[in-house]
Amino acid sequence: EGLAGVNAQLPTMQGRRVVEVGAGLGLAGLAAARAGALSVLLLDREPLALHCALSSAACNGLQVVACDQLFTVAVAESG
């Protein structure tokens, strides 16, 4: 069943932009892409998980973007 079964449960995603935070393997984001989302961004701190999500997207002919860092936080130390 895979993504096809998940897509049967989704409303139409046509024209929507989707961000999946804590994507892991990206199932929700990949399902949204398959359901017609305009763009999908997968966010996770684990590069290996995102690599697997992108591999799944490629195997399913889906185009998604993944990111493991959005910003860098600098902390000033008093001294």
Short mmCIF file of all heavy atoms in Angstrom, two decimals:
data_model
loop_
_atom_site.label_atom_id
_atom_site.label_comp_id
_atom_site.label_asym_id
_atom_site.label_seq_id
_atom_site.Cartn_x
_atom_site.Cartn_y
_atom_site.Cartn_z
N GLU A 1 0.83 -1.18 0.00
CA GLU A 1 0.00 0.00 0.00
C GLU A 1 0.87 1.24 0.00
O GLU A 1 0.73 2.09 -0.86
CB GLU A 1 -0.90 -0.04 1.22
CG GLU A 1 -2.22 0.62 0.97
CD GLU A 1 -3.13 0.45 2.17
OE1 GLU A 1 -3.27 -0.68 2.67
OE2 GLU A 1 -3.65 1.47 2.58
N GLY A 2 1.76 1.41 0.95
CA GLY A 2 2.72 2.51 0.99
C GLY A 2 2.07 3.88 0.93
O GLY A 2 1.07 4.14 1.58
N LEU A 3 2.68 4.75 0.12
CA LEU A 3 2.18 6.13 0.02
C LEU A 3 0.78 6.20 -0.56
O LEU A 3 0.02 7.10 -0.23
CB LEU A 3 3.13 6.97 -0.84
CG LEU A 3 4.44 7.38 -0.20
CD1 LEU A 3 5.31 8.14 -1.20
CD2 LEU A 3 4.22 8.21 1.04
N ALA A 4 0.42 5.27 -1.41
CA ALA A 4 -0.92 5.30 -2.01
C ALA A 4 -1.98 5.18 -0.93
O ALA A 4 -3.00 5.87 -0.98
CB ALA A 4 -1.06 4.18 -3.03
N GLY A 5 -1.77 4.34 0.05
CA GLY A 5 -2.72 4.19 1.14
C GLY A 5 -2.82 5.43 2.00
O GLY A 5 -3.89 5.83 2.44
N VAL A 6 -1.68 6.08 2.22
CA VAL A 6 -1.67 7.31 3.00
C VAL A 6 -2.40 8.40 2.23
O VAL A 6 -3.17 9.17 2.80
CB VAL A 6 -0.22 7.75 3.33
CG1 VAL A 6 -0.20 9.13 3.97
CG2 VAL A 6 0.44 6.73 4.23
N ASN A 7 -2.19 8.49 0.93
CA ASN A 7 -2.82 9.53 0.13
C ASN A 7 -4.33 9.41 0.09
O ASN A 7 -5.02 10.41 -0.06
CB ASN A 7 -2.25 9.53 -1.29
CG ASN A 7 -0.98 10.33 -1.37
OD1 ASN A 7 0.05 9.83 -0.97
ND2 ASN A 7 -1.06 11.56 -1.82
N ALA A 8 -4.85 8.22 0.24
CA ALA A 8 -6.30 8.04 0.26
C ALA A 8 -6.90 8.75 1.47
O ALA A 8 -8.07 9.12 1.45
CB ALA A 8 -6.64 6.56 0.28
N GLN A 9 -6.11 8.97 2.50
CA GLN A 9 -6.58 9.62 3.72
C GLN A 9 -6.41 11.13 3.72
O GLN A 9 -6.92 11.82 4.59
CB GLN A 9 -5.80 9.05 4.93
CG GLN A 9 -5.85 7.55 5.06
CD GLN A 9 -7.24 7.03 5.33
OE1 GLN A 9 -7.98 7.63 6.09
NE2 GLN A 9 -7.61 5.93 4.69
N LEU A 10 -5.67 11.68 2.75
CA LEU A 10 -5.37 13.11 2.72
C LEU A 10 -6.37 13.91 1.90
O LEU A 10 -6.83 13.45 0.86
CB LEU A 10 -3.98 13.35 2.08
CG LEU A 10 -2.77 13.03 2.92
CD1 LEU A 10 -1.51 13.26 2.10
CD2 LEU A 10 -2.73 13.86 4.17
N PRO A 11 -6.67 15.14 2.36
CA PRO A 11 -7.43 16.04 1.50
C PRO A 11 -6.51 16.51 0.38
O PRO A 11 -5.31 16.27 0.41
CB PRO A 11 -7.79 17.19 2.44
CG PRO A 11 -6.71 17.18 3.48
CD PRO A 11 -6.31 15.73 3.63
N THR A 12 -7.06 17.18 -0.60
CA THR A 12 -6.22 17.66 -1.69
C THR A 12 -5.18 18.65 -1.16
O THR A 12 -5.46 19.45 -0.27
CB THR A 12 -7.06 18.31 -2.80
OG1 THR A 12 -6.16 18.72 -3.84
CG2 THR A 12 -7.81 19.52 -2.31
N MET A 13 -4.00 18.57 -1.68
CA MET A 13 -2.92 19.46 -1.27
C MET A 13 -2.54 20.40 -2.41
O MET A 13 -1.54 21.09 -2.32
CB MET A 13 -1.70 18.62 -0.85
CG MET A 13 -1.95 17.69 0.33
SD MET A 13 -2.47 18.50 1.83
CE MET A 13 -0.98 19.32 2.31
N GLN A 14 -3.32 20.42 -3.46
CA GLN A 14 -3.01 21.24 -4.64
C GLN A 14 -2.75 22.69 -4.23
O GLN A 14 -3.54 23.31 -3.54
CB GLN A 14 -4.18 21.20 -5.63
CG GLN A 14 -4.40 19.86 -6.26
CD GLN A 14 -3.27 19.44 -7.20
OE1 GLN A 14 -2.62 20.26 -7.81
NE2 GLN A 14 -3.05 18.15 -7.29
N GLY A 15 -1.59 23.22 -4.66
CA GLY A 15 -1.24 24.61 -4.44
C GLY A 15 -0.77 24.97 -3.05
O GLY A 15 -0.47 26.11 -2.77
N ARG A 16 -0.68 24.00 -2.16
CA ARG A 16 -0.23 24.28 -0.78
C ARG A 16 1.27 24.09 -0.65
O ARG A 16 1.87 23.27 -1.32
CB ARG A 16 -0.95 23.37 0.21
CG ARG A 16 -2.43 23.64 0.25
CD ARG A 16 -3.09 22.74 1.24
NE ARG A 16 -4.53 22.92 1.18
CZ ARG A 16 -5.28 23.13 2.23
NH1 ARG A 16 -4.74 23.18 3.42
NH2 ARG A 16 -6.57 23.28 2.08
N ARG A 17 1.85 24.86 0.25
CA ARG A 17 3.26 24.71 0.61
C ARG A 17 3.31 24.00 1.96
O ARG A 17 2.65 24.41 2.90
CB ARG A 17 3.94 26.07 0.70
CG ARG A 17 3.94 26.82 -0.60
CD ARG A 17 4.62 28.17 -0.44
NE ARG A 17 4.32 29.07 -1.52
CZ ARG A 17 4.84 29.03 -2.72
NH1 ARG A 17 5.71 28.10 -3.02
NH2 ARG A 17 4.52 29.92 -3.63
N VAL A 18 4.11 22.93 2.03
CA VAL A 18 4.12 22.08 3.23
C VAL A 18 5.52 22.08 3.84
O VAL A 18 6.51 21.94 3.13
CB VAL A 18 3.71 20.63 2.85
CG1 VAL A 18 3.84 19.70 4.05
CG2 VAL A 18 2.30 20.62 2.29
N VAL A 19 5.57 22.23 5.16
CA VAL A 19 6.81 22.09 5.93
C VAL A 19 6.55 21.00 6.97
O VAL A 19 5.62 21.10 7.75
CB VAL A 19 7.22 23.39 6.63
CG1 VAL A 19 8.47 23.17 7.48
CG2 VAL A 19 7.44 24.51 5.62
N GLU A 20 7.37 19.96 6.93
CA GLU A 20 7.28 18.90 7.94
C GLU A 20 8.45 19.06 8.90
O GLU A 20 9.60 18.84 8.55
CB GLU A 20 7.30 17.51 7.29
CG GLU A 20 7.08 16.43 8.31
CD GLU A 20 7.07 15.02 7.74
OE1 GLU A 20 7.23 14.84 6.52
OE2 GLU A 20 6.92 14.08 8.54
N VAL A 21 8.14 19.46 10.13
CA VAL A 21 9.16 19.69 11.16
C VAL A 21 9.37 18.39 11.92
O VAL A 21 8.40 17.74 12.32
CB VAL A 21 8.72 20.81 12.12
CG1 VAL A 21 9.76 21.03 13.21
CG2 VAL A 21 8.48 22.10 11.34
N GLY A 22 10.63 18.01 12.12
CA GLY A 22 10.92 16.72 12.74
C GLY A 22 10.51 15.59 11.82
O GLY A 22 9.87 14.62 12.21
N ALA A 23 10.89 15.73 10.56
CA ALA A 23 10.39 14.86 9.49
C ALA A 23 10.76 13.40 9.63
O ALA A 23 10.01 12.53 9.18
CB ALA A 23 10.89 15.38 8.14
N GLY A 24 11.88 13.10 10.23
CA GLY A 24 12.30 11.70 10.28
C GLY A 24 12.42 11.16 8.86
O GLY A 24 13.17 11.69 8.05
N LEU A 25 11.66 10.14 8.55
CA LEU A 25 11.71 9.57 7.20
C LEU A 25 10.79 10.29 6.22
O LEU A 25 10.74 9.95 5.04
CB LEU A 25 11.36 8.08 7.25
CG LEU A 25 12.34 7.26 8.09
CD1 LEU A 25 11.90 5.80 8.12
CD2 LEU A 25 13.75 7.37 7.55
N GLY A 26 10.06 11.30 6.69
CA GLY A 26 9.32 12.19 5.81
C GLY A 26 8.01 11.67 5.24
O GLY A 26 7.54 12.17 4.22
N LEU A 27 7.39 10.71 5.89
CA LEU A 27 6.18 10.11 5.33
C LEU A 27 5.09 11.14 5.07
O LEU A 27 4.49 11.16 3.99
CB LEU A 27 5.65 8.99 6.23
CG LEU A 27 4.40 8.28 5.72
CD1 LEU A 27 4.67 7.63 4.38
CD2 LEU A 27 3.93 7.26 6.72
N ALA A 28 4.83 12.02 6.03
CA ALA A 28 3.77 13.02 5.84
C ALA A 28 4.10 13.97 4.71
O ALA A 28 3.25 14.30 3.87
CB ALA A 28 3.53 13.79 7.14
N GLY A 29 5.35 14.42 4.65
CA GLY A 29 5.76 15.32 3.58
C GLY A 29 5.72 14.66 2.21
O GLY A 29 5.29 15.27 1.22
N LEU A 30 6.16 13.41 2.13
CA LEU A 30 6.12 12.70 0.86
C LEU A 30 4.69 12.46 0.41
O LEU A 30 4.37 12.57 -0.78
CB LEU A 30 6.87 11.37 0.98
CG LEU A 30 8.37 11.48 1.28
CD1 LEU A 30 8.98 10.09 1.44
CD2 LEU A 30 9.10 12.26 0.22
N ALA A 31 3.81 12.15 1.37
CA ALA A 31 2.40 11.97 1.03
C ALA A 31 1.80 13.28 0.53
O ALA A 31 1.02 13.28 -0.44
CB ALA A 31 1.64 11.45 2.24
N ALA A 32 2.16 14.39 1.15
CA ALA A 32 1.67 15.70 0.70
C ALA A 32 2.17 16.01 -0.71
O ALA A 32 1.41 16.52 -1.54
CB ALA A 32 2.11 16.78 1.68
N ALA A 33 3.42 15.68 -0.99
CA ALA A 33 3.97 15.90 -2.34
C ALA A 33 3.20 15.06 -3.35
O ALA A 33 2.84 15.53 -4.44
CB ALA A 33 5.45 15.55 -2.38
N ARG A 34 2.93 13.84 -2.99
CA ARG A 34 2.19 12.95 -3.90
C ARG A 34 0.74 13.41 -4.10
O ARG A 34 0.15 13.18 -5.15
CB ARG A 34 2.22 11.53 -3.37
CG ARG A 34 1.66 10.54 -4.34
CD ARG A 34 2.06 9.14 -3.98
NE ARG A 34 1.82 8.31 -5.13
CZ ARG A 34 2.64 7.42 -5.58
NH1 ARG A 34 3.78 7.23 -4.99
NH2 ARG A 34 2.34 6.71 -6.62
N ALA A 35 0.19 14.10 -3.08
CA ALA A 35 -1.18 14.60 -3.16
C ALA A 35 -1.26 15.96 -3.86
O ALA A 35 -2.33 16.54 -3.92
CB ALA A 35 -1.78 14.69 -1.76
N GLY A 36 -0.12 16.45 -4.39
CA GLY A 36 -0.15 17.65 -5.21
C GLY A 36 0.33 18.93 -4.56
O GLY A 36 0.07 20.02 -5.08
N ALA A 37 1.03 18.85 -3.42
CA ALA A 37 1.54 20.06 -2.78
C ALA A 37 2.46 20.81 -3.75
O ALA A 37 3.22 20.20 -4.50
CB ALA A 37 2.30 19.71 -1.50
N LEU A 38 2.38 22.13 -3.70
CA LEU A 38 3.20 22.98 -4.56
C LEU A 38 4.68 22.82 -4.23
O LEU A 38 5.53 22.73 -5.11
CB LEU A 38 2.76 24.44 -4.39
CG LEU A 38 3.44 25.48 -5.25
CD1 LEU A 38 3.16 25.21 -6.72
CD2 LEU A 38 2.97 26.87 -4.86
N SER A 39 4.99 22.77 -2.92
CA SER A 39 6.36 22.54 -2.49
C SER A 39 6.33 21.84 -1.13
O SER A 39 5.38 22.00 -0.37
CB SER A 39 7.14 23.86 -2.38
OG SER A 39 6.59 24.69 -1.39
N VAL A 40 7.39 21.07 -0.87
CA VAL A 40 7.51 20.36 0.40
C VAL A 40 8.92 20.55 0.92
O VAL A 40 9.90 20.32 0.21
CB VAL A 40 7.22 18.84 0.23
CG1 VAL A 40 7.47 18.10 1.54
CG2 VAL A 40 5.79 18.62 -0.24
N LEU A 41 9.03 20.99 2.17
CA LEU A 41 10.31 21.16 2.85
C LEU A 41 10.32 20.24 4.06
O LEU A 41 9.44 20.33 4.92
CB LEU A 41 10.50 22.62 3.29
CG LEU A 41 11.72 22.93 4.14
CD1 LEU A 41 13.02 22.61 3.39
CD2 LEU A 41 11.69 24.39 4.58
N LEU A 42 11.29 19.34 4.11
CA LEU A 42 11.45 18.42 5.24
C LEU A 42 12.55 18.94 6.15
O LEU A 42 13.66 19.21 5.69
CB LEU A 42 11.83 17.03 4.73
CG LEU A 42 10.91 16.38 3.71
CD1 LEU A 42 11.49 15.05 3.24
CD2 LEU A 42 9.51 16.21 4.26
N LEU A 43 12.25 19.09 7.43
CA LEU A 43 13.22 19.57 8.40
C LEU A 43 13.47 18.50 9.46
O LEU A 43 12.52 17.94 10.02
CB LEU A 43 12.70 20.83 9.11
CG LEU A 43 12.34 22.01 8.22
CD1 LEU A 43 11.73 23.12 9.07
CD2 LEU A 43 13.54 22.51 7.46
N ASP A 44 14.74 18.22 9.72
CA ASP A 44 15.10 17.29 10.78
C ASP A 44 16.55 17.54 11.14
O ASP A 44 17.35 17.97 10.30
CB ASP A 44 14.91 15.84 10.33
CG ASP A 44 14.78 14.90 11.52
OD1 ASP A 44 15.78 14.70 12.24
OD2 ASP A 44 13.68 14.38 11.73
N ARG A 45 16.90 17.27 12.38
CA ARG A 45 18.29 17.48 12.81
C ARG A 45 19.20 16.31 12.44
O ARG A 45 20.41 16.40 12.58
CB ARG A 45 18.34 17.73 14.31
CG ARG A 45 17.92 16.54 15.13
CD ARG A 45 17.97 16.84 16.58
NE ARG A 45 17.58 15.64 17.33
CZ ARG A 45 17.70 15.51 18.60
NH1 ARG A 45 18.21 16.48 19.32
NH2 ARG A 45 17.32 14.40 19.19
N GLU A 46 18.62 15.20 11.99
CA GLU A 46 19.39 14.01 11.66
C GLU A 46 19.61 13.90 10.15
O GLU A 46 18.69 13.57 9.41
CB GLU A 46 18.66 12.75 12.16
CG GLU A 46 18.55 12.67 13.67
CD GLU A 46 19.90 12.53 14.35
OE1 GLU A 46 20.85 12.00 13.74
OE2 GLU A 46 19.99 12.96 15.51
N PRO A 47 20.82 14.16 9.68
CA PRO A 47 21.09 14.09 8.24
C PRO A 47 20.80 12.72 7.63
O PRO A 47 20.33 12.64 6.50
CB PRO A 47 22.58 14.43 8.14
CG PRO A 47 22.90 15.19 9.39
CD PRO A 47 21.98 14.63 10.44
N LEU A 48 21.03 11.65 8.36
CA LEU A 48 20.78 10.31 7.82
C LEU A 48 19.29 10.09 7.57
O LEU A 48 18.90 9.51 6.55
CB LEU A 48 21.34 9.23 8.74
CG LEU A 48 21.19 7.79 8.24
CD1 LEU A 48 21.84 7.62 6.87
CD2 LEU A 48 21.81 6.82 9.23
N ALA A 49 18.46 10.56 8.49
CA ALA A 49 17.01 10.44 8.29
C ALA A 49 16.58 11.19 7.04
O ALA A 49 15.79 10.70 6.23
CB ALA A 49 16.25 10.96 9.51
N LEU A 50 17.12 12.40 6.86
CA LEU A 50 16.77 13.19 5.67
C LEU A 50 17.29 12.54 4.40
O LEU A 50 16.63 12.58 3.36
CB LEU A 50 17.30 14.62 5.80
CG LEU A 50 16.61 15.45 6.88
CD1 LEU A 50 17.29 16.80 7.01
CD2 LEU A 50 15.13 15.61 6.59
N HIS A 51 18.45 11.91 4.49
CA HIS A 51 18.98 11.19 3.32
C HIS A 51 18.01 10.08 2.93
O HIS A 51 17.70 9.89 1.74
CB HIS A 51 20.36 10.61 3.63
CG HIS A 51 20.89 9.72 2.57
ND1 HIS A 51 21.43 10.20 1.40
CD2 HIS A 51 20.93 8.37 2.49
CE1 HIS A 51 21.78 9.18 0.64
NE2 HIS A 51 21.49 8.05 1.27
N CYS A 52 17.51 9.35 3.91
CA CYS A 52 16.53 8.28 3.64
C CYS A 52 15.24 8.85 3.06
O CYS A 52 14.67 8.28 2.12
CB CYS A 52 16.25 7.49 4.91
SG CYS A 52 17.65 6.53 5.50
N ALA A 53 14.79 9.99 3.59
CA ALA A 53 13.57 10.63 3.08
C ALA A 53 13.75 11.06 1.63
O ALA A 53 12.86 10.85 0.79
CB ALA A 53 13.19 11.82 3.95
N LEU A 54 14.90 11.64 1.31
CA LEU A 54 15.16 12.06 -0.06
C LEU A 54 15.27 10.87 -1.00
O LEU A 54 14.83 10.93 -2.15
CB LEU A 54 16.42 12.93 -0.13
CG LEU A 54 16.30 14.31 0.50
CD1 LEU A 54 17.64 15.02 0.48
CD2 LEU A 54 15.24 15.15 -0.20
N SER A 55 15.85 9.79 -0.52
CA SER A 55 15.93 8.57 -1.33
C SER A 55 14.54 8.02 -1.62
O SER A 55 14.24 7.62 -2.75
CB SER A 55 16.76 7.50 -0.61
OG SER A 55 18.10 7.92 -0.49
N SER A 56 13.67 8.04 -0.61
CA SER A 56 12.29 7.59 -0.81
C SER A 56 11.57 8.49 -1.80
O SER A 56 10.81 8.00 -2.65
CB SER A 56 11.53 7.60 0.52
OG SER A 56 12.06 6.63 1.38
N ALA A 57 11.80 9.79 -1.70
CA ALA A 57 11.18 10.73 -2.64
C ALA A 57 11.62 10.43 -4.06
O ALA A 57 10.80 10.38 -4.98
CB ALA A 57 11.53 12.17 -2.26
N ALA A 58 12.92 10.21 -4.25
CA ALA A 58 13.45 9.92 -5.59
C ALA A 58 12.87 8.62 -6.14
O ALA A 58 12.49 8.55 -7.32
CB ALA A 58 14.98 9.84 -5.54
N CYS A 59 12.76 7.60 -5.30
CA CYS A 59 12.20 6.32 -5.74
C CYS A 59 10.74 6.45 -6.14
O CYS A 59 10.25 5.67 -6.96
CB CYS A 59 12.33 5.28 -4.63
SG CYS A 59 14.01 4.70 -4.38
N ASN A 60 10.04 7.43 -5.57
CA ASN A 60 8.63 7.64 -5.86
C ASN A 60 8.39 8.76 -6.86
O ASN A 60 7.25 9.16 -7.10
CB ASN A 60 7.86 7.93 -4.56
CG ASN A 60 7.65 6.69 -3.74
OD1 ASN A 60 6.77 5.90 -4.04
ND2 ASN A 60 8.46 6.50 -2.72
N GLY A 61 9.49 9.29 -7.44
CA GLY A 61 9.36 10.34 -8.44
C GLY A 61 8.85 11.66 -7.89
O GLY A 61 8.20 12.42 -8.60
N LEU A 62 9.15 11.94 -6.61
CA LEU A 62 8.68 13.16 -5.96
C LEU A 62 9.82 14.15 -5.79
O LEU A 62 10.96 13.75 -5.59
CB LEU A 62 8.08 12.83 -4.59
CG LEU A 62 6.95 11.82 -4.60
CD1 LEU A 62 6.57 11.44 -3.17
CD2 LEU A 62 5.75 12.37 -5.35
N GLN A 63 9.49 15.42 -5.84
CA GLN A 63 10.50 16.45 -5.64
C GLN A 63 10.25 17.14 -4.31
O GLN A 63 9.19 17.75 -4.10
CB GLN A 63 10.46 17.47 -6.78
CG GLN A 63 11.61 18.42 -6.75
CD GLN A 63 11.68 19.26 -8.01
OE1 GLN A 63 10.70 19.39 -8.73
NE2 GLN A 63 12.83 19.83 -8.27
N VAL A 64 11.19 17.00 -3.39
CA VAL A 64 11.10 17.64 -2.08
C VAL A 64 12.46 18.25 -1.76
O VAL A 64 13.47 17.92 -2.38
CB VAL A 64 10.69 16.66 -0.96
CG1 VAL A 64 9.33 16.04 -1.23
CG2 VAL A 64 11.73 15.58 -0.76
N VAL A 65 12.49 19.15 -0.80
CA VAL A 65 13.72 19.77 -0.33
C VAL A 65 13.87 19.40 1.14
O VAL A 65 12.89 19.39 1.88
CB VAL A 65 13.66 21.31 -0.48
CG1 VAL A 65 14.88 21.98 0.13
CG2 VAL A 65 13.51 21.69 -1.94
N ALA A 66 15.10 19.10 1.55
CA ALA A 66 15.35 18.74 2.95
C ALA A 66 16.43 19.64 3.52
O ALA A 66 17.34 20.06 2.81
CB ALA A 66 15.78 17.28 3.04
N CYS A 67 16.32 19.92 4.80
CA CYS A 67 17.30 20.77 5.47
C CYS A 67 17.51 20.25 6.88
O CYS A 67 16.55 19.94 7.59
CB CYS A 67 16.77 22.21 5.50
SG CYS A 67 17.93 23.36 6.26
N ASP A 68 18.79 20.17 7.31
CA ASP A 68 19.06 19.71 8.66
C ASP A 68 19.46 20.85 9.59
O ASP A 68 19.62 20.66 10.78
CB ASP A 68 20.11 18.59 8.69
CG ASP A 68 21.48 19.03 8.21
OD1 ASP A 68 21.61 20.17 7.73
OD2 ASP A 68 22.41 18.23 8.32
N GLN A 69 19.60 22.08 9.05
CA GLN A 69 19.89 23.25 9.88
C GLN A 69 19.25 24.47 9.24
O GLN A 69 19.49 24.75 8.07
CB GLN A 69 21.39 23.49 9.98
CG GLN A 69 22.13 22.44 10.76
CD GLN A 69 23.60 22.79 10.90
OE1 GLN A 69 24.10 23.74 10.31
NE2 GLN A 69 24.30 22.02 11.70
N LEU A 70 18.45 25.18 10.01
CA LEU A 70 17.86 26.42 9.51
C LEU A 70 18.67 27.63 9.90
O LEU A 70 18.78 28.59 9.15
CB LEU A 70 16.43 26.59 10.05
CG LEU A 70 15.34 25.83 9.33
CD1 LEU A 70 13.99 26.14 9.96
CD2 LEU A 70 15.33 26.17 7.87
N PHE A 71 19.22 27.60 11.07
CA PHE A 71 19.97 28.75 11.55
C PHE A 71 20.98 28.32 12.59
O PHE A 71 20.88 27.25 13.15
CB PHE A 71 19.05 29.83 12.13
CG PHE A 71 17.95 29.26 12.99
CD1 PHE A 71 18.21 28.77 14.25
CD2 PHE A 71 16.66 29.22 12.52
CE1 PHE A 71 17.20 28.26 15.04
CE2 PHE A 71 15.64 28.69 13.31
CZ PHE A 71 15.90 28.21 14.57
N THR A 72 21.94 29.19 12.82
CA THR A 72 22.96 28.93 13.82
C THR A 72 22.70 29.89 14.98
O THR A 72 22.44 31.06 14.77
CB THR A 72 24.37 29.18 13.25
OG1 THR A 72 24.54 28.32 12.13
CG2 THR A 72 25.44 28.93 14.27
N VAL A 73 22.75 29.38 16.18
CA VAL A 73 22.54 30.20 17.37
C VAL A 73 23.90 30.50 17.98
O VAL A 73 24.69 29.60 18.23
CB VAL A 73 21.64 29.48 18.38
CG1 VAL A 73 21.50 30.30 19.64
CG2 VAL A 73 20.30 29.16 17.75
N ALA A 74 24.16 31.77 18.20
CA ALA A 74 25.40 32.18 18.88
C ALA A 74 25.03 32.65 20.29
O ALA A 74 24.06 33.37 20.47
CB ALA A 74 26.08 33.31 18.11
N VAL A 75 25.81 32.22 21.27
CA VAL A 75 25.57 32.61 22.66
C VAL A 75 26.73 33.46 23.13
O VAL A 75 27.88 33.05 23.05
CB VAL A 75 25.42 31.36 23.56
CG1 VAL A 75 25.21 31.77 25.01
CG2 VAL A 75 24.28 30.49 23.06
N ALA A 76 26.41 34.65 23.60
CA ALA A 76 27.45 35.53 24.14
C ALA A 76 27.68 35.20 25.60
O ALA A 76 26.73 35.07 26.37
CB ALA A 76 27.03 37.00 24.01
N GLU A 77 28.94 35.03 25.97
CA GLU A 77 29.28 34.72 27.36
C GLU A 77 29.73 35.99 28.06
O GLU A 77 30.53 36.74 27.53
CB GLU A 77 30.39 33.67 27.43
CG GLU A 77 29.96 32.33 26.87
CD GLU A 77 31.07 31.31 26.96
OE1 GLU A 77 32.03 31.51 27.74
OE2 GLU A 77 30.96 30.31 26.26
N SER A 78 29.18 36.23 29.25
CA SER A 78 29.62 37.40 30.01
C SER A 78 30.90 37.02 30.76
O SER A 78 31.12 35.88 31.12
CB SER A 78 28.55 37.84 31.01
OG SER A 78 28.27 36.79 31.91
N GLY A 79 31.77 38.00 30.97
CA GLY A 79 32.99 37.62 31.64
C GLY A 79 33.78 38.72 32.16
O GLY A 79 34.11 39.73 32.06
#
